[in-house]
Amino acid sequence: MTPVELSRTVLRAVRRAVDGGELSVSVPVSVGVGPPGPGGCGDYATNVALRLAGPAGLPALDVAEILRPHIGDEPGVVEVTVTGPGFLNITLGGGAAAALVDQVLTRGERYGYGDSLAGQVVELRVPYDTRAEVVADTLVRIVATQGGRAEVRHGEPVNLRPVPAPEDPAPLGADAARWALLYPASHDRPRISADHLLQRESNPLFRVRYAHARCRALRRNAGALGFGVRMSGDVRAGGEVRGDGDGDPSGRLDDTARQGADLLSVLAEYPHTLRLAAAHRAPDRLARHLVGVADSLLLFQHLVLPLGDEKPSAAHRARLALAEAAGTVLAGGLSLLGISAPEYL
């Protein structure tokens, strides 16, 4: 449910209260909803009760209590709480986004595994070459994610011959060497350079591993603030992640909506990427997808934890759950590539 849809939901509740004789006011043309303020809770809050208190000739708290059950009866609304002088705080149920995040967190690093190659034996005949060996080793794991079994053999006829590296990648170290050989498409010549060791944004490997470390840092920082992700119903990636920012003059909600949607999209594409990587014997597809996950997460990370005097809410748990899901995918993907996923970087 977007903020615009929630605004209409609140208006319907007001109209029902007026039609039922519980309130004697003119139904407003629109009402605002936005993130809960200090002392608030849930995913969204509205001050409609305070606006209607004067015209209704009732205290705002009484108006809020009249509207509370009407809003709570709407589909998609889990809970409505009255706080402060009469703010209505609304907690939403999750939808497809929540189901995706829940699936990732439940399956862990096995998220994306399928049966597209179930029962199949994939024979990989490779030349005696460092890059071919690394690609084949990685494909053994990727093919297994789809229920298949890859067997690596040497000799003719060769059916897996990626362009060899121009020099020995070993001096880069295990992780950077594997990335240098796996990130380019098989028909592209790998670039063996110390650039793979640089800790800067221009290095895709650094971005992927740094994004994973940031996910773990968000978990630690959330724990220090006294909240975390609780499974089985508390994972709601809806709300502010899916909203469009209506009624939020700061624009933060709009950023959360856009960047959260981008991150959800790349997480949803991960199983398809694994299927294609296995079917086309192309670990580079997985490596490039992990870069996309990392880039989306690094934009989203700044919106996960409460800012200033904000208190942790269901919305913050939803964002943390989405970040945790991204970290899970990054860790699983790096493991398939044979590259470590550090907790700190």
Side-chain angles (χ1 to χ4, degrees):
M1 186 183 298
T2 68
V4 171
E5 292 168 339
L6 182 56
S7 176
R8 294 174 185 146
T9 294
V10 174
L11 283 176
R12 286 196 299 270
V14 173
R15 189 170 293 110
R16 283 199 299 273
V18 171
D19 293 344
E22 298 170 88
L23 286 177
S24 180
V25 295
S26 297
V27 179
V29 175
S30 64
V31 297
V33 296
C41 59
D43 298 315
Y44 292 97
T46 177
N47 66 350
V48 64
L50 283 77
R51 287 180 52 190
L52 298 179
L58 295 170
L61 283 171
D62 289 354
V63 176
E65 287 298 338
I66 290 170
L67 295 177
R68 185 171 63 84
H70 290 290
I71 298 173
D73 287 342
E74 288 284 338
V77 175
V78 171
E79 184 180 13
V80 181
T81 305
V82 179
T83 61
F87 290 102
L88 286 154
N89 298 261
I90 304 167
T91 299
L92 301 175
L100 171 63
V101 173
D102 192 52
Q103 181 185 14
V104 176
L105 296 181
T106 299
R107 299 202 64 187
E109 293 186 15
R110 292 185 64 82
Y111 168 66
Y113 286 30
D115 58 2
S116 61
L117 296 177
Q120 296 187 34
V121 176
V122 178
E123 189 173 277
L124 302 174
R125 289 190 171 272
V126 300
Y128 289 96
D129 170 74
T130 300
R131 188 185 185 195
E133 298 277 5
V134 170
V135 170
D137 171 71
T138 304
L139 285 173
V140 168
R141 289 185 292 276
I142 292 177
V143 168
T145 70
Q146 304 305 306
R149 179 167 58 89
E151 296 182 349
V152 181
R153 303 182 186 279
H154 295 85
E156 300 296 337
V158 169
N159 62 7
L160 183 68
R161 191 194 295 270
V163 175
E167 56 190 277
D168 183 9
L172 296 177
D175 287 336
R178 291 187 71 90
W179 182 268
L181 298 176
L182 295 171
Y183 183 68
S186 63
H187 56 269
D188 292 329
R189 182 174 294 277
R191 181 174 53 85
I192 308 302
S193 164
D195 288 349
H196 293 294
L197 301 174
L198 297 177
Q199 296 196 29
R200 60 179 60 170
E201 290 185 1
S202 60
N203 179 3
L205 174 59
F206 170 73
R207 296 205 304 276
V208 172
R209 300 175 83 223
Y210 177 67
H212 176 266
R214 286 300 304 150
C215 290
R216 300 303 176 242
L218 289 171
R219 177 202 292 170
R220 294 191 296 271
N221 293 339
L225 293 174
F227 77 102
V229 176
R230 298 194 298 268
M231 299 296 293
S232 300
D234 195 47
V235 177
R236 284 182 296 272
E240 293 178 37
V241 172
R242 296 290 299 275
D244 62 8
D246 182 64
D248 175 29
S250 72
R252 184 169 189 252
L253 181 56
D254 187 59
D255 287 342
T256 311
R258 181 177 60 255
Q259 293 167 11
D262 289 345
L263 184 51
L264 283 164
S265 178
V266 291
L267 295 184
E269 281 293 312
Y270 182 70
H272 181 61
T273 297
L274 282 184
R275 286 194 296 272
L276 291 179
H280 296 285
R281 321 295 189 252
D284 58 287
R285 290 177 179 262
L286 172 58
R288 289 196 298 273
H289 189 82
L290 294 182
V291 175
V293 174
D295 289 345
S296 293
L297 183 280
L298 290 174
L299 289 173
F300 182 73
Q301 61 162 331
H302 306 291
L303 305 168
V304 172
L305 300 178
L307 296 179
D309 57 1
E310 280 187 291
K311 292 185 177 180
S313 68
H316 294 112
R317 287 196 298 274
R319 299 178 210 152
L320 180 62
L322 180 53
E324 288 263 18
T328 299
V329 167
L330 290 172
L334 284 171
S335 178
L336 290 174
L337 296 177
I339 296 173
S340 64
E343 294 279 325
Y344 299 87
L345 194 61

